[in-house]
Amino acid sequence: MAITHMVAQRSTCLRRRVGAVVILERRILTTGYNGAPTGLKHCLDIGCLREEQGIPSGERHELCRGLHAEQNAIIQAALSGVSIKDGTLYTTHFPCVLCAKMLINAGIKRIVFSHSYPDPLSHELLAEAGLVIAGI
C-alpha cells in the first residue's frame, strides 16, 4: 500500500490524489494515478472544472478533465500488453461505480483500499461480481 500512496503523489488533481497499483503473484503489473489524458492540460495548470461548478464528490464524474487512477492502471496494462486478469488492485480510495465496472470486466479479483468513497452502487456491483474487498 505504501507504493500506492507514492504513486498517488504524481496526481495532478486539485481535489484528491488517488493512486492505484495492480499486483499479480506478488509482482507489480501496472500503476495509475488520477490526471488528464496524455498531452492535455492538467487541472494543476488550468483549474478544476468540478470546483468551478460546485460539483460534490461522487457525482457527475463525466464533468472532469481527468481519468481516475484505476482507469489509468487498466489503460497502461492495455498499452503494454499486460493482462491484469485475476490481479489485486491496491488503491488509495475505494473505486467509483465507473471504475468498478471496468475492474470487473478487466478480471480483477480483489481490491484493497485505504479510504472510502461515497458510491453505494459501486459496493453493490463489486459484491455481486464476487470481488474480495478489504479496507486497511
Side-chain angles (χ1 to χ4, degrees), residues 93-107:
H93 294 76
F94 194 85
C96 73
V97 69
L98 297 174
C99 291
K101 292 184 282 187
M102 294 174 81
L103 293 164
I104 291 165
N105 275 1

Side-chain angles (χ1 to χ4, degrees), residues 3-4 12 14 18 31-32 34 39-40 46 54 56 76 88 95 100 102 118 126:
I3 293 170
T4 305
T12 59
L14 297 171
V18 180
T31 66
N34 55 332
L40 300 185
I46 62 170
Q76 288 306 313
T88 295
M102 294 174 81
L126 291 168

Side-chain angles (χ1 to χ4, degrees), residues 25-105:
E25 298 175 1
R26 302 182 58 108
R27 292 191 177 97
I28 295 174
L29 300 179
T30 186
T31 66
Y33 55 89
N34 55 332
T38 304
L40 300 185
K41 294 177 182 174
H42 293 279
C43 297
L44 284 175
D45 303 320
I46 62 170
C48 176
L49 178 63
R50 294 173 60 78
E51 279 296 317
E52 292 167 9
Q53 294 187 12
I55 299 169
S57 181
E59 297 179 14
R60 305 289 316 266
H61 297 288
E62 75 280 6
L63 295 178
C64 180
R65 294 184 67 79
L67 290 150
H68 291 185
E70 302 92 333
Q71 293 168 341
N72 273 324
I74 293 167
I75 291 166
Q76 288 306 313
L79 286 172
S80 302
V82 174
S83 173
I84 58 174
K85 185 176 186 295
D86 297 327
T88 295
L89 173 81
Y90 287 84
T91 182
T92 55
H93 294 76
F94 194 85
C96 73
V97 69
L98 297 174
C99 291
K101 292 184 282 187
M102 294 174 81
L103 293 164
I104 291 165
N105 275 1

